[in-house]
Amino acid sequence: MNAVTRPATARRPPSGTDSGLAAQILDRASEPGWPPEPGWLRAARRRAAAWVEDHGFPTTKHEDWRYTKIDAALAVPMGTPPEGAADGGASVSVGDLVGPHLSGARIVVVNGRVVPELSSTGDRLPPGARVEALAGALQRLDGRLEPSWLWRAGDYPHALRAMNDAAAVDGVLIDLPPGTVVEDPIEVVFVAMPAGQPSWSHPRVIVVAGAGAGATLGETYLSGPGGPAVTNALTQVHLGAGAQLAHHVLQGERTDSFHFSSLEARLAEGSRLSSRLLATGGRIGRHEVDVVLAGKGADVDLDGLFLTGTGQHHDNPVLVDHAAPGCTSRQLYKGVISGDGHGVFNGHLVVRPGADGTDAAQVNKNLLLSERAEVDTRPRLEINADDVACTHGAAVGQLDPDALFYLRSRGVSEREARAVLVSGFAHEILERFGSGPIRRRAEELATAAGLIVLDEDGRSSGAVTAATTRARRGGRPQ
Amino acid sequence: MLVVDDLHASIGGTEVLHGLTLEVPDGEVHAVMGPNGSGKSTLAYVLAGRDPYQVTAGRVLYDGADLLAMTPEERAAAGVFLGFQHPVEIPGVPTMYFLRTALNAQRRSRGEEELGPVEFLALVDAKRRLVDMDRTLLDRAVNDGFSGGERKRNEILQMLMLEPRLAVLDETDSGLDIDALRVIAAGVSSLRAPNRSAVLITHHQRLLEHLIPDRVHVLAGGRIVRSGGADLAAELEAHGYAGLDDPGVEAFPVSTATAR
Ligand SMILES: Nc1ncnc2c1ncn2[C@@H]1O[C@H](COP(=O)(O)OP(=O)(O)OP(=O)(O)O)[C@@H](O)[C@H]1O
Ligand SMILES: [Mg+2]
């Protein structure tokens, strides 16, 4: 068997009269403010919308959506979200939400569109490297982005993915010519700002890294008050031979928001992707990862930490496809589920025929903090090659009562002792968020979700990091 | 300091301590010896307040207060320290962080100011030298992958950091090399003071040669069956515990006990 089997989405009976979605999306293309689009893009939108109409949205009958019911998100209108930084009337402004600009390039995307006033591509990008708004890039580069857009055309895993093809209008293009290395992390902050007009947005990030290029990308997802917002984001990563990307995702949306995101990556020979996820937010947060190791000796390293509290549902479908020999992949996902939260890990590891010498490891560990907390973990291996080393494992446990007593016997209150133990469990993932501003953001998010940042020196790391940041900014040429 | 009076305690529905009575006055170091399974660790856990142990009768007074009514963290803040027979691993929590959290939690609950990072680091550094512990060990998660001896040193380091008024050390000397044994003896000795006491649970006379106890008790069958001075330890080493869990304690012929 050569192809990866992707289960078909539950079909809705095709209805000749229901041309609503495509028409609705394409109608918007003539709205004022909508950028003029190349013909291929309009055609791609039309086809993707037709696919959605044809297949319908996933239900829990769909194998990959078995635990994730999205009806409440589908009840939110899919019409045009409020324009840009429209935060009129909201008690919290976009500026407050996104916080200070730390260093390097930062692009702020509000309701699926880049807000230029809050964005800066930095003046430290190496020559040839570009970080720019996707809407502009689609016109400027015209057909160059077509292959990326059509990557999954007609072969969508589900309708939400197709919806991004149909309706994404803006986002970020990171274009790195061969050999360019961007030192400072590139931050993209996505804000869903319903401000009384609940709606969907479909931001998209495309990273094209030429041979030997390298960068660090941080994606932060936030949402503002004023009704449920639905974010349906897609990040596509194309790594050329020997290219490297460190990718960090922080999902800290409000607990009335719905978050669906997909990371699609294709790795050429000898390239390397590391991607970290920290998810604390959303009523539903679904963080899909789909990596194809397409060239010899490519390497992917995936870590996830989901902190799932009362009223929350976090679903983490991870597909790693070893399509070339001698590649390595490693996955470590940890879930901390409290209250009546529900976590899901759905790891799927595929080793294709000929992908000999594959070295793959997949681990999911979960901590259930209450009797009502629930987790479903389904690691799957599909091995069709020889000479492979694949390990996988899943664990679900509770706080160790012996460790809890050990801490209490040293004078630590039960409440603090529990927090320390949970933080110890999470520490392994948090410390993989590097050491720069993205790590600090990750720690802030984790702290807001009740974790303690455990510093090796036993010091408060917040103070230490702040001092470091000041020193670095002071030393930077303006 | 400590008065244990007719203590009955059970675990998993089985009574393990059957009316244990023991008194440790201020400033004294007492050794508790006894056969495997006799209830030594049970006594230690009951003193520290471990959950599944149930006290069914008797009482424990610590400085005249009802110790059994206090939570484990309250007991710690009041100065009770348990050196664990089997120190627990806490993956992901650096030892340094653990030490600082414990110390500051106790200081807070005593109404003292928390120790700042600089003072704390200086304190840890001084204490870890006393127990001859490598600095790199402190950056690792608590007892995670520590050798048996390193874990026991870590217990003593914690004791030195927390400066308890009543230290209950459960076989802290087991599985240690000669040097480590001296370290532990020195550690306990350094805390000796008129207002501090210690209970050393041990199987070996070795420790007691470095650290002469004021009293030695024999715990057998869930009770203290015999008490004596420091030389009782040597006698036990020579003759074992045979016949000691016999209820007729007084009848035990101390001077005529024969070798096997
Ligand atoms: N959870 C439990 N359920 C039932 N019995 C238990 C449990 N824990 C301990 N016991 C029993 O209680 C008795 C006393 O155990 P304890 O650990 O106090 O002995 P000890 O004197 O410390 O022994 P050692 O010298 O081997 O450390 C033993 O018989 C033991 O099997
Ligand atoms: Mg014991």
Side-chain angles (χ1 to χ4, degrees):
Chain A
M1 241 196 74
N2 234 329
V4 178
T5 42
R6 291 176 192 283
T9 314
R11 264 171 190 274
R12 201 166 60 177
S15 88
T17 52
D18 186 10
S19 58
L21 189 63
Q24 193 190 331
I25 290 167
L26 294 169
D27 274 358
R28 284 163 57 192
S30 48
E31 275 174 25
W34 185 284
E37 290 188 330
W40 66 262
L41 184 54
R42 283 181 65 86
R45 291 190 193 289
R46 188 177 288 116
R47 280 198 303 273
W51 195 95
V52 174
E53 291 192 326
D54 199 21
H55 292 79
F57 285 96
T59 68
T60 49
K61 291 200 186 102
H62 186 310
E63 187 58 20
D64 288 341
W65 294 80
R66 201 164 134 188
Y67 304 103
T68 305
K69 197 170 154 63
I70 64 168
D71 302 27
L74 293 174
V76 176
M78 288 200 186
T80 316
E83 179 71 39
D87 51 6
S91 53
V92 182
S93 78
V94 171
D96 292 342
L97 274 175
V98 302
H101 185 171
L102 299 170
S103 64
R106 181 178 77 172
I107 309 286
V108 176
V109 181
V110 177
N111 294 339
R113 297 183 193 203
V114 171
V115 180
E117 308 87 75
L118 293 171
S119 304
S120 141
T121 56
D123 43 7
R124 284 167 47 90
L125 287 178
R130 295 189 67 100
V131 176
E132 62 181 311
L134 187 62
L138 284 167
Q139 298 169 62
R140 194 172 60 77
L141 300 172
D142 194 4
R144 234 198 94 190
L145 295 176
E146 190 179 351
S148 191
W149 213 276
L150 299 182
W151 193 351
R152 284 278 192 270
D155 178 34
Y156 296 113
H158 48 76
L160 292 178
R161 171 61 185 81
M163 272 304 289
N164 191 285
D165 270 9
V169 285
D170 203 356
V172 181
L173 171 67
I174 298 170
D175 191 2
L176 308 171
T180 43
V181 175
V182 181
E183 297 290 346
D184 291 321
I186 300 163
E187 273 198 289
V188 184
V189 186
F190 301 89
V191 188
M193 229 32 204
Q197 269 182 268
S199 61
W200 285 58
S201 57
H202 308 270
R204 188 173 188 127
V205 175
I206 299 177
V207 179
V208 183
T216 299
L217 166 63
E219 297 180 12
T220 304
Y221 293 88
L222 304 169
S223 59
V230 185
T231 298
N232 180 38
L234 173 63
T235 297
Q236 295 182 302
V237 174
H238 310 259
L239 296 187
Q244 300 208 8
L245 181 72
H247 179 243
H248 306 270
V249 179
L250 307 178
Q251 194 270 95
E253 298 198 24
R254 289 165 58 95
T255 49
D256 62 352
S257 297
F258 299 93
H259 173 96
F260 304 101
S261 60
S262 289
L263 166 65
E264 282 178 1
R266 187 181 170 84
L267 276 62
E269 185 171 342
S271 64
R272 183 162 204 284
L273 170 70
S274 62
S275 183
R276 325 271 179 236
L277 164 75
L278 169 62
T280 66
R283 175 170 159 193
I284 295 177
R286 191 175 198 267
H287 321 95
E288 197 168 326
V289 175
D290 184 340
V291 178
V292 183
L293 298 161
K296 220 167 55 184
D299 172 57
V300 66
D301 206 357
L302 303 168
D303 294 293
L305 174 64
F306 45 105
L307 308 177
T308 316
T310 287
Q312 290 187 292
H313 178 97
H314 286 149
D315 186 359
N316 304 281
V318 180
L319 168 61
V320 174
D321 181 357
H322 282 258
C327 296
T328 49
S329 70
R330 199 191 52 76
Q331 299 169 45
L332 175 61
Y333 270 68
K334 286 188 165 187
V336 178
I337 331 291
S338 57
D340 68 358
H342 187 183
V344 183
F345 175 76
N346 211 335
H348 190 179
L349 191 66
V350 178
V351 182
R352 298 217 193 189
D356 300 338
T358 288
D359 188 349
Q362 180 192 62
V363 177
N364 170 230
K365 294 183 184 172
N366 305 287
L367 200 49
L368 296 183
L369 297 182
S370 89
E371 300 214 327
R372 291 169 304 149
E374 237 185 284
V375 71
D376 289 286
T377 172
R378 308 201 316 148
R380 279 186 288 165
L381 297 182
E382 216 178 286
I383 300 174
N384 304 300
D386 303 320
D387 181 29
V388 299
C390 292
T391 58
H392 72 152
V396 179
Q398 278 137 32
L399 287 183
D400 176 7
D402 291 343
L404 200 58
F405 175 67
Y406 194 50
L407 275 154
R408 294 182 69 193
S409 79
R410 297 303 183 245
V412 181
S413 72
E414 181 169 7
R415 194 188 142 92
E416 187 177 3
R418 293 179 76 90
V420 167
L421 292 182
V422 173
S423 305
F425 178 79
H427 186 68
E428 185 180 8
I429 307 286
L430 272 185
E431 69 180 355
R432 292 187 183 165
F433 277 80
S435 56
I438 293 173
R439 166 75 172 268
R440 212 188 89 180
R441 280 207 199 282
E443 290 180 348
E444 281 166 5
L445 196 58
T447 308
L451 286 197
I452 302 171
V453 173
L454 302 178
D455 192 87
E456 271 83 5
D457 286 344
R459 285 180 288 196
S460 148
S461 78
V464 175
T465 317
T468 315
T469 309
R470 266 201 305 280
R472 290 187 53 202
R473 287 165 97 192
R476 162 154 314 157
Q478 289 302 308
Chain B
M1 172 76 58
L2 178 71
V3 176
V4 181
D5 183 18
D6 192 30
L7 185 67
H8 291 255
S10 28
I11 171 86
T14 317
E15 185 170 283
V16 176
L17 299 183
H18 312 286
L20 187 144
T21 296
L22 174 71
E23 191 168 332
V24 183
D26 283 3
E28 293 197 0
V29 171
H30 286 205
V32 173
M33 304 180 81
N36 293 132
S38 60
K40 301 182 299 296
S41 293
T42 302
L43 170 65
Y45 284 140
V46 167
L47 293 178
R50 193 173 190 156
D51 238 354
Y53 292 88
Q54 291 214 311
V55 173
T56 50
R59 53 182 196 148
V60 178
L61 299 180
Y62 173 69
D63 280 342
D66 181 4
L67 187 71
L68 301 178
M70 297 157 77
T71 63
E73 53 269 34
E74 284 166 353
R75 298 178 199 203
V80 177
F81 177 89
L82 169 62
F84 284 60
Q85 182 175 357
H86 304 290
V88 181
E89 282 178 31
I90 311 186
V93 178
T95 306
M96 267 314 224
Y97 181 87
F98 174 83
L99 289 172
R100 183 168 184 239
T101 303
L103 182 64
N104 279 335
Q106 292 199 13
R107 291 178 70 98
R108 271 199 311 273
S109 61
R110 290 195 297 257
E112 297 164 16
E113 239 182 82
E114 290 192 19
L115 223 52
V118 178
E119 291 161 286
F120 171 76
L121 284 175
L123 185 67
V124 175
D125 221 45
K127 301 296 186 188
R128 70 151 184 95
R129 280 170 210 277
L130 284 181
V131 296
D132 199 16
M133 199 158 136
D134 203 77
R135 173 68 173 79
T136 56
L137 222 48
L138 300 181
D139 293 334
R140 281 165 50 185
V142 179
N143 295 326
D144 195 3
F146 284 28
S147 76
E150 287 167 345
R151 287 177 190 219
K152 296 299 176 77
R153 276 176 208 251
N154 191 12
E155 292 294 291
I156 293 303
L157 173 64
Q158 291 170 41
M159 182 187 76
L160 293 176
M161 293 290 296
L162 299 172
E163 301 190 323
R165 293 196 49 233
L166 174 67
V168 180
L169 303 185
D170 189 0
E171 294 198 34
T172 306
D173 57 331
S174 291
L176 292 188
D177 60 35
I178 311 278
D179 290 347
L181 201 68
R182 286 207 190 92
V183 159
I184 284 174
V188 176
S189 297
S190 75
L191 281 183
R192 265 193 165 173
N195 63 340
R196 293 184 206 279
S197 308
V199 175
L200 309 176
I201 296 171
T202 181
H203 282 297
H204 308 289
Q205 198 206 341
R206 280 194 319 171
L207 175 68
L208 305 179
E209 283 165 0
H210 295 277
L211 191 66
I212 313 287
D214 297 291
R215 299 283 289 164
V216 175
H217 308 275
V218 178
L219 201 172
R223 254 177 294 206
I224 300 294
V225 295
R226 187 142 179 246
S227 299
D231 43 354
L232 177 56
E235 192 184 311
L236 292 167
E237 184 99 349
H239 305 298
Y241 300 113
L244 273 176
D245 45 1
D246 214 288
V249 180
E250 277 81 19
F252 187 69
V254 177
S255 51
T256 60
T258 50
R260 287 146 285 191

